[in-house]
Amino acid sequence: MNIKVKVRTAHGTIVWDAKEKKSSFISNEEAAKLEKEQAAPQKPAAGKTEGKATKGTKGKAPAKEKETADGE
């Protein structure tokens, strides 16, 4: 979803809609429903792997051996 809760008050909640690029004032009950909808598990995007990627080292990469055209 493109809507984020910005400020909660006793009278309602101010939310930001990134798609429409505007803020709105909604009731706290509506904001609670909105948060439940956004918290629902979503399918991960295709091609993304789970977990963190490992960091590369700061050292030099190992030298590659040159191959000749005849495979020797």
Side-chain angles (χ1 to χ4, degrees), residues 11-67:
H11 304 289
T13 305
I14 298 174
V15 294
W16 174 253
D17 188 347
K19 186 176 181 181
E20 295 181 17
K21 298 201 185 320
K22 69 176 188 175
S23 61
S24 303
F25 187 78
I26 61 174
S27 69
N28 288 331
E29 292 83 21
E30 290 179 57
K33 289 179 186 177
L34 180 68
E35 286 181 330
K36 284 183 182 180
E37 289 175 7
Q38 290 180 354
Q42 298 175 352
K43 293 181 182 178
K48 290 191 175 184
T49 58
E50 292 183 11
K52 290 186 174 182
T54 57
K55 285 188 174 181
T57 59
K58 290 187 176 181
K60 290 183 178 180
K64 294 182 181 179
E65 293 182 24
K66 293 184 179 181
E67 292 185 23

